[in-house]
């Protein structure tokens, strides 16, 4: 019961990430060039790092939960740092 629930939640999470990326890629085509495209690219990159962070939790059966969680946290920090520094660049302008 536990593994099935975890697998189902994982695939729902992946589907949400993919849906968000599809929406922003479509929006990027509509708003070509300028600040809006840069913001959309920053959001897509952040979502990509968050997706990799969540996928890193799948490493738990191979490397143990401690290592998988550390990788997860590192990628989440990278994603949030990228978003914060990108946002500060636009705020300074």
């Amino acid at each position: 019961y536990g593994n099935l629930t975890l697998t189902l939640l994982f695939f729902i999470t992946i589907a949400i990430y993919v849906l968000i990326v599809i929406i922003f890629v479509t929006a990027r085509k509509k708003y070509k060039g300028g600040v809006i495209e840069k913001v959309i690219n920053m959001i897509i990159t952040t979502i990509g790092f968050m997706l990799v962070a969540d996928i890193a939790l799948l490493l738990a059966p191979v490397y143990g939960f401690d290592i998988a969680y550390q990788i997860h946290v590192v990628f989440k920090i990278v994603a949030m740092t990228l978003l914060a520094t990108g946002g500060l660049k636009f705020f300074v302008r």
Side-chain angles (χ1 to χ4, degrees):
Y1 175 75
N3 287 337
L4 179 64
T5 305
L6 186 62
T7 304
L8 181 64
L9 288 174
F10 176 73
F11 281 115
I12 290 171
T13 303
I14 297 297
I16 290 171
Y17 278 123
V18 169
L19 183 65
I20 291 170
V21 169
I22 289 171
I23 290 170
F24 277 104
V25 167
T26 305
R28 183 174 59 182
K29 290 178 186 175
K30 184 177 179 182
Y31 299 104
K32 203 80 164 144
V35 175
I36 300 296
E37 184 183 13
K38 289 180 183 178
V39 170
I40 290 173
N41 288 337
M42 185 176 45
I43 292 171
I44 290 171
T45 307
T46 302
I47 294 297
F49 276 113
M50 288 190 172
L51 173 64
V52 171
D54 286 343
I55 289 174
L57 290 176
L58 291 177
L59 298 173
V62 178
Y63 295 105
F65 181 74
D66 292 341
I67 300 295
Y69 188 70
Q70 289 172 7
I71 294 170
H72 170 81
V73 169
V74 166
F75 276 107
K76 288 279 183 169
I77 290 171
V78 168
M80 299 313 296
T81 303
L82 173 74
L83 190 62
T85 54
L88 285 174
K89 285 181 186 178
F90 291 118
F91 185 68
V92 167
R93 288 184 187 177

